[in-house]
Amino acid sequence: MRVKGSFVECLLLFSSFFTSHHHPIPIPLIHPTMAQIQVGDTLPLVTLKYCPYDPELSKACGIPQTLSTDSFKGKKVVIFGVPGAFTPTCNNNHLPEYKEKYDELAKKGVDQVVCISTADAFVMDAWGKWTEVSDKVIMAADGNGDFVKATGLWQDLTKVGMGAVRSKRFAMVVDDLKVTYIGVETQFGVSVSGATAVLAKL
């Protein structure tokens, strides 16, 4: 029998055959690579985790809550992603600029600023406390990489010991779930993903 179709279709057919014949052969689950999100695209539905800011918890983390991207409906939101919490460029340049320019962003109509990294909610909360962003920036955890994979904004950093799914350094403006600006860094440092670049596009 000749099978037509893509590799994934053939793999699914192969999997179905062995499942129906009770062969104990594991079939790997393949996640297709998503194209990188572009201006005009709708933000995908993804659930993140975060610990709400609580000034009384200066030396402890709160209880992680869910943050669904559908909560951005009707809002203008700036989302920026970093490869790792506490890492030099992210900690010394990227996040602090958004903290410093928060009031300017708010004057431009931004309702929320969200920082995303492929870490857990406790790490993101601790990083927020360390940098004293208070409630200006929502420190959101994309622990399973669902957001960066759904938007095509992930990178493989196994060569530097940081794992196979890490966030690229990026920033986007989302207005009522529609992407109106996207800046992804292609070189070391912060330029198109920084708060200054975002402000120029608002």
Side-chain angles (χ1 to χ4, degrees):
M1 179 179 69
R2 183 178 180 181
V3 179
K4 296 182 180 181
S6 68
F7 170 75
V8 173
E9 290 171 338
C10 292
L11 182 62
L12 290 173
L13 180 62
F14 181 72
S15 174
S16 176
F17 173 79
F18 276 95
T19 300
S20 63
H21 287 76
H22 305 291
H23 287 260
I25 298 177
I27 305 300
L29 180 63
I30 292 181
H31 296 279
T33 300
M34 302 299 292
Q36 185 171 292
I37 196 166
Q38 301 291 328
V39 169
D41 289 347
T42 299
L43 197 68
L45 179 60
V46 178
T47 299
L48 304 165
K49 292 283 188 178
Y50 80 110
C51 294
Y53 172 69
D54 185 343
E56 295 184 1
L57 293 176
S58 60
K59 295 184 178 181
C61 294
I63 299 174
Q65 307 293 318
T66 59
L67 176 66
S68 176
T69 53
D70 64 2
S71 69
F72 302 151
K73 185 172 179 59
K75 300 176 183 177
K76 183 177 288 186
V77 182
V78 172
I79 303 170
F80 68 100
V82 298
F86 292 102
T87 55
T89 302
C90 307
N91 187 77
N92 300 334
N93 304 105
H94 209 175
L95 178 57
E97 187 184 18
Y98 278 95
K99 174 190 172 184
E100 293 166 4
K101 295 187 179 297
Y102 173 81
D103 290 337
E104 294 179 57
L105 292 165
K107 288 179 182 178
K108 291 277 191 175
V110 173
D111 297 296
Q112 290 179 317
V113 178
V114 181
C115 176
I116 288 180
S117 187
T118 49
D120 63 71
F122 299 109
V123 167
M124 294 300 288
D125 188 45
W127 188 29
K129 287 180 169 63
W130 175 259
T131 50
E132 299 181 337
V133 297
S134 64
D135 58 350
K136 293 181 177 180
V137 180
I138 297 173
M139 305 299 288
D142 186 24
N144 295 325
D146 294 334
F147 182 88
V148 294
K149 287 186 287 188
T151 55
L153 292 168
W154 67 279
Q155 59 181 325
D156 186 342
L157 292 181
T158 52
K159 289 184 178 180
V160 293
M162 292 179 67
V165 179
R166 303 293 290 198
S167 175
K168 290 182 178 180
R169 189 178 304 284
F170 71 88
M172 68 170 74
V173 178
V174 179
D175 194 346
D176 195 23
L177 300 181
K178 290 288 185 181
V179 177
T180 60
Y181 171 75
I182 178 76
V184 183
E185 304 292 354
T186 57
Q187 296 180 342
F188 183 79
V190 179
S191 58
V192 296
S193 66
T196 300
V198 169
L199 276 166
K201 298 297 181 178
L202 291 173

